Amino acid sequence: SSDGMATTESRQLSRESSLFSVSREELRLFGHEVPKTVSITVGFGSVARKKDYVLETVGNMLGLRGDVQVSSQERESVVIVAHFSDFDTSWVQHISKQLQEDYHEIIET
């Protein structure tokens, strides 16, 4: 374009939808190209609760806790995005740090 900005056109999925179809080449994960092994992204949001399920949930999703078996190849095909939306920033920092410590071998921050 004449203003120097990159022109990238996303296709809107339907008139009534706010969802857009974006080509794989345009996708970014924390500013980086998405690895070719990734075929699905799972996202979830959480806030602080009396009983915190975040660590257990992520462990189960990755097959690192519980009875679910997930191969390393299957694990490499999934990106999990956690959105911690609590106003208690100390809880957010605590959970983020705990995830990084518990799953340091497979987590990208």
Side-chain angles (χ1 to χ4, degrees), residues 4-70:
M5 294 179 63
T7 56
T8 303
E9 285 192 40
S10 299
R11 296 180 321 248
Q12 193 166 7
L13 296 180
S14 74
R15 242 184 265 231
E16 297 80 26
S17 175
S18 62
L19 299 175
F20 289 84
S21 174
V22 179
S23 72
R24 186 173 187 89
E25 292 74 32
E26 294 176 88
L27 292 176
R28 292 292 174 265
L29 183 62
F30 301 109
H32 301 284
E33 208 172 292
V34 178
K36 300 292 184 209
T37 59
V38 173
S39 59
I40 187 169
T41 300
V42 177
F44 71 93
S46 188
V47 294
R49 293 187 164 88
K50 287 182 184 178
K51 175 160 175 38
D52 206 329
Y53 297 96
V54 173
L55 299 172
E56 182 180 340
T57 299
V58 171
N60 286 333
M61 291 169 78
L62 296 171
L64 300 171
R65 294 184 181 202
D67 297 333
V68 178
Q69 297 295 314
V70 178

Side-chain angles (χ1 to χ4, degrees), residues 1 4 8 11 15 26 31 37 48-49 63 73 80 86 89 96 102:
S1 85
T8 303
R11 296 180 321 248
R15 242 184 265 231
E26 294 176 88
T37 59
R49 293 187 164 88
Q73 183 179 7
I80 298 174
D86 202 278
T89 57
S96 298
D102 289 1

Side-chain angles (χ1 to χ4, degrees), residues 83-95:
H83 176 77
F84 303 130
S85 52
D86 202 278
F87 290 110
D88 180 356
T89 57
S90 64
W91 174 82
V92 172
Q93 291 171 349
H94 167 74
I95 291 296

